[in-house]
Amino acid sequence: DTKRPMICPGKMNTECGCNTSPEACPIGECDCEGQLRVSQDCKTALYCDSPIEEGFKVIVINCTAEDEIVFVNMWTNSWKCSKDDGRCPGAFHVGCEPDPTSPTEEPTTTDPSRCTLATNSLGSCGCGEQLFINDDCTKGFY
C-alpha cells in the first residue's frame, strides 16, 4: 500500500563513522526496552526487547549475503535482508534518548538555501555529519 502515512520512529541519531573492521566498530549495547540499533555497514541490527535479569532479551538479524543490508519497516514493525540500494546511513539507533529540556526558541526566518551554524539542542555531536531527530520528528539537526 503506497498511500500509508510516513511513520515517525521516535527520537534517533546516527553514530560517528567507523571505517575499520566490524570488531572495531561495535553495534553497542541495549540502553532501554524498544531500542533498535543498526551497525555501521547496515548488515546487522538488534532489537532490545523485554528486560531480563541481566539486561534485555535481544533479537538480532544478520545479513550474510555480500549485496544485502537490513531494511527496517516502521509501518509493520518488521525487518528483513534486502539488496543494498545505497541507503545505509551508517550506524544509528532509535529509542531511549530523552529530549533535553531547553528554552523554547522562536523560529527565525533564514534563506532555506543557506546552512547556518546553530546549537544542537537534540544531543551532543561526537563528529561531523551526525543526524539527530526529536521524538515526534518535528525537529532535526545535522
PDB file of all heavy atoms in Angstrom, residues 14-39:
ATOM      1  N   THR A  14      22.280   9.226  14.194  1.00  0.00           N
ATOM      2  CA  THR A  14      23.315   8.399  13.590  1.00  0.00           C
ATOM      3  C   THR A  14      24.556   8.495  14.465  1.00  0.00           C
ATOM      4  O   THR A  14      24.743   9.458  15.201  1.00  0.00           O
ATOM      5  CB  THR A  14      23.636   8.860  12.156  1.00  0.00           C
ATOM      6  OG1 THR A  14      24.021  10.240  12.176  1.00  0.00           O
ATOM      7  CG2 THR A  14      22.451   8.670  11.234  1.00  0.00           C
ATOM      8  N   GLU A  15      25.376   7.477  14.403  1.00  0.00           N
ATOM      9  CA  GLU A  15      26.612   7.433  15.185  1.00  0.00           C
ATOM     10  C   GLU A  15      27.758   7.999  14.342  1.00  0.00           C
ATOM     11  O   GLU A  15      27.633   8.141  13.127  1.00  0.00           O
ATOM     12  CB  GLU A  15      26.936   5.984  15.564  1.00  0.00           C
ATOM     13  CG  GLU A  15      25.832   5.268  16.304  1.00  0.00           C
ATOM     14  CD  GLU A  15      25.617   5.778  17.722  1.00  0.00           C
ATOM     15  OE1 GLU A  15      26.492   6.489  18.260  1.00  0.00           O
ATOM     16  OE2 GLU A  15      24.563   5.481  18.282  1.00  0.00           O
ATOM     17  N   CYS A  16      28.872   8.273  14.979  1.00  0.00           N
ATOM     18  CA  CYS A  16      30.055   8.718  14.244  1.00  0.00           C
ATOM     19  C   CYS A  16      30.569   7.566  13.378  1.00  0.00           C
ATOM     20  O   CYS A  16      30.487   6.406  13.772  1.00  0.00           O
ATOM     21  CB  CYS A  16      31.153   9.157  15.208  1.00  0.00           C
ATOM     22  SG  CYS A  16      30.718  10.651  16.116  1.00  0.00           S
ATOM     23  N   GLY A  17      31.069   7.889  12.203  1.00  0.00           N
ATOM     24  CA  GLY A  17      31.526   6.892  11.251  1.00  0.00           C
ATOM     25  C   GLY A  17      32.686   6.053  11.768  1.00  0.00           C
ATOM     26  O   GLY A  17      33.473   6.486  12.599  1.00  0.00           O
ATOM     27  N   CYS A  18      32.774   4.846  11.257  1.00  0.00           N
ATOM     28  CA  CYS A  18      33.838   3.916  11.633  1.00  0.00           C
ATOM     29  C   CYS A  18      34.148   3.099  10.384  1.00  0.00           C
ATOM     30  O   CYS A  18      33.291   2.370   9.888  1.00  0.00           O
ATOM     31  CB  CYS A  18      33.366   3.018  12.773  1.00  0.00           C
ATOM     32  SG  CYS A  18      34.600   1.857  13.354  1.00  0.00           S
ATOM     33  N   ASN A  19      35.327   3.236   9.837  1.00  0.00           N
ATOM     34  CA  ASN A  19      35.655   2.606   8.553  1.00  0.00           C
ATOM     35  C   ASN A  19      36.542   1.380   8.682  1.00  0.00           C
ATOM     36  O   ASN A  19      37.037   0.884   7.689  1.00  0.00           O
ATOM     37  CB  ASN A  19      36.382   3.606   7.648  1.00  0.00           C
ATOM     38  CG  ASN A  19      35.594   4.857   7.432  1.00  0.00           C
ATOM     39  OD1 ASN A  19      34.587   5.083   8.070  1.00  0.00           O
ATOM     40  ND2 ASN A  19      36.041   5.692   6.533  1.00  0.00           N
ATOM     41  N   THR A  20      36.771   0.910   9.891  1.00  0.00           N
ATOM     42  CA  THR A  20      37.652  -0.246  10.047  1.00  0.00           C
ATOM     43  C   THR A  20      36.822  -1.529  10.067  1.00  0.00           C
ATOM     44  O   THR A  20      35.818  -1.621   9.397  1.00  0.00           O
ATOM     45  CB  THR A  20      38.510  -0.086  11.311  1.00  0.00           C
ATOM     46  OG1 THR A  20      37.660   0.100  12.428  1.00  0.00           O
ATOM     47  CG2 THR A  20      39.435   1.111  11.200  1.00  0.00           C
ATOM     48  N   SER A  21      37.228  -2.498  10.837  1.00  0.00           N
ATOM     49  CA  SER A  21      36.553  -3.796  10.871  1.00  0.00           C
ATOM     50  C   SER A  21      35.301  -3.758  11.747  1.00  0.00           C
ATOM     51  O   SER A  21      35.175  -2.898  12.617  1.00  0.00           O
ATOM     52  CB  SER A  21      37.508  -4.848  11.422  1.00  0.00           C
ATOM     53  OG  SER A  21      37.753  -4.584  12.793  1.00  0.00           O
ATOM     54  N   PRO A  22      34.368  -4.704  11.529  1.00  0.00           N
ATOM     55  CA  PRO A  22      33.184  -4.778  12.401  1.00  0.00           C
ATOM     56  C   PRO A  22      33.558  -4.939  13.874  1.00  0.00           C
ATOM     57  O   PRO A  22      32.877  -4.418  14.747  1.00  0.00           O
ATOM     58  CB  PRO A  22      32.439  -6.008  11.883  1.00  0.00           C
ATOM     59  CG  PRO A  22      32.858  -6.140  10.466  1.00  0.00           C
ATOM     60  CD  PRO A  22      34.294  -5.664  10.432  1.00  0.00           C
ATOM     61  N   GLU A  23      34.660  -5.615  14.157  1.00  0.00           N
ATOM     62  CA  GLU A  23      35.096  -5.773  15.542  1.00  0.00           C
ATOM     63  C   GLU A  23      35.488  -4.430  16.155  1.00  0.00           C
ATOM     64  O   GLU A  23      35.304  -4.193  17.337  1.00  0.00           O
ATOM     65  CB  GLU A  23      36.288  -6.747  15.634  1.00  0.00           C
ATOM     66  CG  GLU A  23      35.962  -8.173  15.223  1.00  0.00           C
ATOM     67  CD  GLU A  23      35.903  -8.370  13.710  1.00  0.00           C
ATOM     68  OE1 GLU A  23      36.590  -7.645  12.953  1.00  0.00           O
ATOM     69  OE2 GLU A  23      35.127  -9.247  13.271  1.00  0.00           O
ATOM     70  N   ALA A  24      36.072  -3.546  15.351  1.00  0.00           N
ATOM     71  CA  ALA A  24      36.485  -2.230  15.837  1.00  0.00           C
ATOM     72  C   ALA A  24      35.312  -1.252  15.892  1.00  0.00           C
ATOM     73  O   ALA A  24      35.436  -0.176  16.460  1.00  0.00           O
ATOM     74  CB  ALA A  24      37.583  -1.666  14.952  1.00  0.00           C
ATOM     75  N   CYS A  25      34.187  -1.621  15.287  1.00  0.00           N
ATOM     76  CA  CYS A  25      33.002  -0.754  15.222  1.00  0.00           C
ATOM     77  C   CYS A  25      31.810  -1.485  15.837  1.00  0.00           C
ATOM     78  O   CYS A  25      30.888  -1.887  15.120  1.00  0.00           O
ATOM     79  CB  CYS A  25      32.688  -0.393  13.778  1.00  0.00           C
ATOM     80  SG  CYS A  25      34.061   0.309  12.861  1.00  0.00           S
ATOM     81  N   PRO A  26      31.800  -1.700  17.157  1.00  0.00           N
ATOM     82  CA  PRO A  26      30.705  -2.470  17.755  1.00  0.00           C
ATOM     83  C   PRO A  26      29.358  -1.777  17.599  1.00  0.00           C
ATOM     84  O   PRO A  26      29.282  -0.555  17.511  1.00  0.00           O
ATOM     85  CB  PRO A  26      31.109  -2.580  19.223  1.00  0.00           C
ATOM     86  CG  PRO A  26      32.013  -1.421  19.461  1.00  0.00           C
ATOM     87  CD  PRO A  26      32.716  -1.178  18.150  1.00  0.00           C
ATOM     88  N   ILE A  27      28.309  -2.586  17.555  1.00  0.00           N
ATOM     89  CA  ILE A  27      26.948  -2.075  17.363  1.00  0.00           C
ATOM     90  C   ILE A  27      26.425  -1.373  18.607  1.00  0.00           C
ATOM     91  O   ILE A  27      25.543  -0.549  18.532  1.00  0.00           O
ATOM     92  CB  ILE A  27      26.009  -3.221  16.920  1.00  0.00           C
ATOM     93  CG1 ILE A  27      24.707  -2.683  16.359  1.00  0.00           C
ATOM     94  CG2 ILE A  27      25.767  -4.191  18.063  1.00  0.00           C
ATOM     95  CD1 ILE A  27      23.871  -3.716  15.650  1.00  0.00           C
ATOM     96  N   GLY A  28      26.971  -1.679  19.766  1.00  0.00           N
ATOM     97  CA  GLY A  28      26.543  -1.046  21.002  1.00  0.00           C
ATOM     98  C   GLY A  28      25.638  -1.953  21.820  1.00  0.00           C
ATOM     99  O   GLY A  28      25.197  -2.999  21.355  1.00  0.00           O
ATOM    100  N   GLU A  29      25.381  -1.527  23.025  1.00  0.00           N
ATOM    101  CA  GLU A  29      24.574  -2.288  23.969  1.00  0.00           C
ATOM    102  C   GLU A  29      23.181  -1.691  24.086  1.00  0.00           C
ATOM    103  O   GLU A  29      22.972  -0.515  23.809  1.00  0.00           O
ATOM    104  CB  GLU A  29      25.243  -2.268  25.352  1.00  0.00           C
ATOM    105  CG  GLU A  29      26.647  -2.836  25.373  1.00  0.00           C
ATOM    106  CD  GLU A  29      26.686  -4.330  25.083  1.00  0.00           C
ATOM    107  OE1 GLU A  29      25.743  -5.029  25.514  1.00  0.00           O
ATOM    108  OE2 GLU A  29      27.635  -4.781  24.428  1.00  0.00           O
ATOM    109  N   CYS A  30      22.242  -2.490  24.538  1.00  0.00           N
ATOM    110  CA  CYS A  30      20.872  -2.020  24.774  1.00  0.00           C
ATOM    111  C   CYS A  30      20.862  -1.042  25.949  1.00  0.00           C
ATOM    112  O   CYS A  30      21.446  -1.321  26.994  1.00  0.00           O
ATOM    113  CB  CYS A  30      19.957  -3.195  25.100  1.00  0.00           C
ATOM    114  SG  CYS A  30      19.655  -4.291  23.709  1.00  0.00           S
ATOM    115  N   ASP A  31      20.198   0.080  25.758  1.00  0.00           N
ATOM    116  CA  ASP A  31      20.040   1.071  26.817  1.00  0.00           C
ATOM    117  C   ASP A  31      18.635   1.059  27.397  1.00  0.00           C
ATOM    118  O   ASP A  31      18.422   1.538  28.504  1.00  0.00           O
ATOM    119  CB  ASP A  31      20.345   2.473  26.287  1.00  0.00           C
ATOM    120  CG  ASP A  31      21.787   2.627  25.843  1.00  0.00           C
ATOM    121  OD1 ASP A  31      22.681   2.134  26.550  1.00  0.00           O
ATOM    122  OD2 ASP A  31      22.016   3.240  24.783  1.00  0.00           O
ATOM    123  N   CYS A  32      17.651   0.561  26.616  1.00  0.00           N
ATOM    124  CA  CYS A  32      16.270   0.547  27.090  1.00  0.00           C
ATOM    125  C   CYS A  32      15.443  -0.434  26.265  1.00  0.00           C
ATOM    126  O   CYS A  32      15.861  -0.856  25.185  1.00  0.00           O
ATOM    127  CB  CYS A  32      15.648   1.934  26.999  1.00  0.00           C
ATOM    128  SG  CYS A  32      15.350   2.482  25.300  1.00  0.00           S
ATOM    129  N   GLU A  33      14.275  -0.782  26.779  1.00  0.00           N
ATOM    130  CA  GLU A  33      13.344  -1.644  26.054  1.00  0.00           C
ATOM    131  C   GLU A  33      12.832  -0.904  24.823  1.00  0.00           C
ATOM    132  O   GLU A  33      12.516   0.279  24.885  1.00  0.00           O
ATOM    133  CB  GLU A  33      12.169  -1.998  26.968  1.00  0.00           C
ATOM    134  CG  GLU A  33      11.178  -2.956  26.365  1.00  0.00           C
ATOM    135  CD  GLU A  33      10.086  -3.348  27.347  1.00  0.00           C
ATOM    136  OE1 GLU A  33      10.128  -2.917  28.521  1.00  0.00           O
ATOM    137  OE2 GLU A  33       9.193  -4.089  26.929  1.00  0.00           O
ATOM    138  N   GLY A  34      12.786  -1.588  23.687  1.00  0.00           N
ATOM    139  CA  GLY A  34      12.267  -0.998  22.456  1.00  0.00           C
ATOM    140  C   GLY A  34      13.309  -0.310  21.595  1.00  0.00           C
ATOM    141  O   GLY A  34      12.999   0.197  20.527  1.00  0.00           O
ATOM    142  N   GLN A  35      14.560  -0.293  22.027  1.00  0.00           N
ATOM    143  CA  GLN A  35      15.613   0.354  21.246  1.00  0.00           C
ATOM    144  C   GLN A  35      15.995  -0.530  20.056  1.00  0.00           C
ATOM    145  O   GLN A  35      16.021  -1.751  20.154  1.00  0.00           O
ATOM    146  CB  GLN A  35      16.842   0.599  22.117  1.00  0.00           C
ATOM    147  CG  GLN A  35      17.942   1.373  21.400  1.00  0.00           C
ATOM    148  CD  GLN A  35      19.136   1.639  22.305  1.00  0.00           C
ATOM    149  OE1 GLN A  35      19.510   0.799  23.128  1.00  0.00           O
ATOM    150  NE2 GLN A  35      19.722   2.812  22.162  1.00  0.00           N
ATOM    151  N   LEU A  36      16.280   0.109  18.933  1.00  0.00           N
ATOM    152  CA  LEU A  36      16.767  -0.568  17.728  1.00  0.00           C
ATOM    153  C   LEU A  36      18.140  -0.004  17.417  1.00  0.00           C
ATOM    154  O   LEU A  36      18.305   1.214  17.349  1.00  0.00           O
ATOM    155  CB  LEU A  36      15.819  -0.321  16.551  1.00  0.00           C
ATOM    156  CG  LEU A  36      16.296  -0.819  15.187  1.00  0.00           C
ATOM    157  CD1 LEU A  36      16.276  -2.342  15.148  1.00  0.00           C
ATOM    158  CD2 LEU A  36      15.435  -0.244  14.072  1.00  0.00           C
ATOM    159  N   ARG A  37      19.128  -0.881  17.225  1.00  0.00           N
ATOM    160  CA  ARG A  37      20.489  -0.458  16.890  1.00  0.00           C
ATOM    161  C   ARG A  37      20.888  -1.127  15.586  1.00  0.00           C
ATOM    162  O   ARG A  37      20.658  -2.316  15.394  1.00  0.00           O
ATOM    163  CB  ARG A  37      21.453  -0.827  18.006  1.00  0.00           C
ATOM    164  CG  ARG A  37      21.096  -0.195  19.353  1.00  0.00           C
ATOM    165  CD  ARG A  37      22.130  -0.490  20.406  1.00  0.00           C
ATOM    166  NE  ARG A  37      23.323   0.327  20.217  1.00  0.00           N
ATOM    167  CZ  ARG A  37      23.527   1.508  20.778  1.00  0.00           C
ATOM    168  NH1 ARG A  37      22.617   2.038  21.555  1.00  0.00           N
ATOM    169  NH2 ARG A  37      24.639   2.162  20.553  1.00  0.00           N
ATOM    170  N   VAL A  38      21.510  -0.359  14.680  1.00  0.00           N
ATOM    171  CA  VAL A  38      21.949  -0.874  13.383  1.00  0.00           C
ATOM    172  C   VAL A  38      23.442  -0.606  13.244  1.00  0.00           C
ATOM    173  O   VAL A  38      23.923   0.473  13.595  1.00  0.00           O
ATOM    174  CB  VAL A  38      21.159  -0.226  12.224  1.00  0.00           C
ATOM    175  CG1 VAL A  38      21.650  -0.723  10.878  1.00  0.00           C
ATOM    176  CG2 VAL A  38      19.665  -0.511  12.372  1.00  0.00           C
ATOM    177  N   SER A  39      24.169  -1.598  12.715  1.00  0.00           N
ATOM    178  CA  SER A  39      25.620  -1.500  12.590  1.00  0.00           C
ATOM    179  C   SER A  39      26.045  -0.512  11.505  1.00  0.00           C
ATOM    180  O   SER A  39      25.250  -0.123  10.638  1.00  0.00           O
ATOM    181  CB  SER A  39      26.217  -2.874  12.281  1.00  0.00           C
ATOM    182  OG  SER A  39      25.772  -3.326  11.020  1.00  0.00           O
TER     183      SER A  39
END
